[in-house]
Amino acid sequence: MRQVFIDGKDRAWVVIKKKILSKRQLFLFLDFDGTLSPIVGHPSKARLSLRLYKQLLGLQKMSRVRLGFISGRLLKEVKNLIRIPGAFYAGNHGFELCGPSWRWSHPAHKMMKGFIRESKKVLRPIISKYPGSFLEDKRATLSIHYRKIQAHKTALFCREIKARLKTIKSFFKIRVIKGKKVIELMPRVLWHKGKALEKIIYQSRTKPGQTCYIYIGDDTTDEDAFCVINRKGGISIHVHDETRKTKARYTIRHQSEVKRLLNRITQAIT
Ligand SMILES: [Mg+2]
C-alpha cells in the first residue's frame, strides 16, 4: 500500500479521523525514543515533555481510550519515563510486559544470560577503541549504542562489531537488528514488538470489532508492530524524517508532529 505523509495533509487526517470515529474504543500504542521523545545523544537524557505528559494523561482518562507504550528500554525505565497510571507498558522490545494488575516476561530472556556475558567480553575491546559507543545490558536484550562516535568512523565500527558478533553468534541463537545508531541483539525466538502488541490486546479484553488500534513508532523494531496493526485494520504511523521503506501506512516526517497528531485525536473524540 502507498505511504501517506500526514504532515500538513488534511485529507489523510480525514481518513484517520473517520476510522477512529467508526469504532467505540480507541487503543493507542506509542513507542518512546524518537516518537514521544526526540532522539538524544545519550538514552539517559531522553524525557517526556510536560505538555505531552498532560496530553497523554487526558487521553488515558477518557473511558473509550486505552494507552500502551512499547519500547526497547527496560520496562521499569520506560514506566518511569512515562508515568501514566492504568496504561499498558512493554519494555525490552516486548520481552517484558505489564498493565493494570498484570505482569509478564518472555521465558527466552533466560537464554540470553550466557550470550550477554560472552558478548560483553568480546565487544568491550572494540567499544573502548571508539569513544562515544557503549553497551547497554538489558538482561533480555543487549544494545550497542554508537550515536556519539565520530561520523566517519561509524562504518568501520559497525564492520568490526559485525565481524566479532559472527564468532559468538555461532554458539547462541541471536537476532541482530540495526536501529538508529544502535545495534540490538535479542533472542532468536518468534517474539517481537508485534507479538507483544497482540498479547497486550488480548490481555486488555478490548474487542477488535469495536476498537480502533493505532501504533506510532519510528524505528526498525517497530515494523513488526506495524504489520500486526495493519492486519487488524488499524492505523500504523511511522515517524521518520527521510524516505525509508516501511510497513506503516502513514508517515509523519518529524517527531514534533506527534504532539499535533495527539491533539487532533483528542479533539476528534472529545
Ligand atoms: Mg523508537
Side-chain angles (χ1 to χ4, degrees), residues 113-267:
K113 229 177 170 180
F115 169 76
I116 288 179
R117 198 180 46 235
E118 285 307 306
S119 304
K120 278 159 88 174
K121 235 188 270 169
V122 299
L123 295 175
R124 259 189 205 128
I126 305 177
I127 298 293
S128 59
K129 249 176 35 189
Y130 291 88
S133 67
F134 65 97
L135 296 173
E136 189 186 1
D137 176 359
K138 297 182 283 186
R139 293 189 300 275
T141 63
L142 179 70
S143 306
I144 307 163
H145 295 271
Y146 58 96
R147 179 158 296 276
K148 290 281 232 182
I149 70 173
Q150 291 166 293
H152 67 280
K153 288 186 176 167
T154 53
L156 185 62
F157 173 81
C158 290
R159 262 207 308 278
E160 282 192 45
I161 292 284
K162 205 176 155 192
R164 203 59 72 89
L165 280 177
K166 227 178 209 172
T167 59
I168 337 171
K169 268 175 71 188
S170 49
F171 299 104
F172 300 92
K173 285 183 176 165
I174 295 300
R175 187 181 178 204
V176 181
I177 299 181
K178 216 165 164 227
K180 287 182 181 170
K181 306 282 187 213
V182 61
I183 299 167
E184 307 278 6
L185 310 177
M186 49 190 82
R188 189 148 46 101
V189 287
L190 192 57
W191 198 260
H192 43 66
K193 281 186 173 182
K195 289 277 178 195
L197 207 91
E198 282 179 326
K199 196 161 180 70
I200 288 176
I201 288 173
Y202 175 77
Q203 186 66 27
S204 71
R205 308 273 187 267
T206 49
K207 294 190 176 79
Q210 298 175 2
T211 312
C212 175
Y213 298 103
I214 302 182
Y215 187 94
I216 313 177
D218 74 309
D219 215 345
T220 330
T221 55
D222 296 305
E223 292 294 326
D224 295 315
F226 293 147
C227 291
V228 169
I229 289 292
N230 293 344
R231 253 198 332 267
K232 291 192 181 298
I235 301 161
S236 48
I237 304 172
H238 187 216
V239 185
H240 211 264
D241 52 5
E242 53 198 89
T243 312
R244 202 191 70 189
K245 261 193 158 177
T246 175
K247 297 272 176 21
R249 302 247 158 104
Y250 299 92
T251 293
I252 299 181
R253 284 200 180 88
H254 302 284
Q255 183 271 331
S256 57
E257 284 285 317
V258 173
K259 196 164 54 199
R260 202 170 123 207
L261 179 67
L262 293 182
N263 237 331
R264 281 177 145 181
I265 293 174
T266 309
Q267 281 168 10

Side-chain angles (χ1 to χ4, degrees), residues 30-80:
L30 293 133
D31 162 59
F32 183 74
D33 295 273
T35 301
L36 283 174
S37 155
I39 299 277
V40 286
H42 195 282
S44 63
K45 300 251 167 69
R47 295 280 178 275
L48 179 69
S49 71
L50 186 61
R51 199 185 270 188
L52 259 180
Y53 171 76
K54 284 183 176 167
Q55 203 162 20
L56 291 168
L57 199 61
L59 275 165
Q60 174 68 12
K61 282 180 181 160
M62 293 182 186
S63 58
R64 68 185 284 182
V65 180
R66 308 299 295 270
L67 292 180
F69 302 98
I70 305 210
S71 169
R73 288 172 180 264
L74 281 170
L75 180 62
K76 65 171 185 206
E77 216 176 290
V78 73
K79 272 184 83 180
N80 265 335

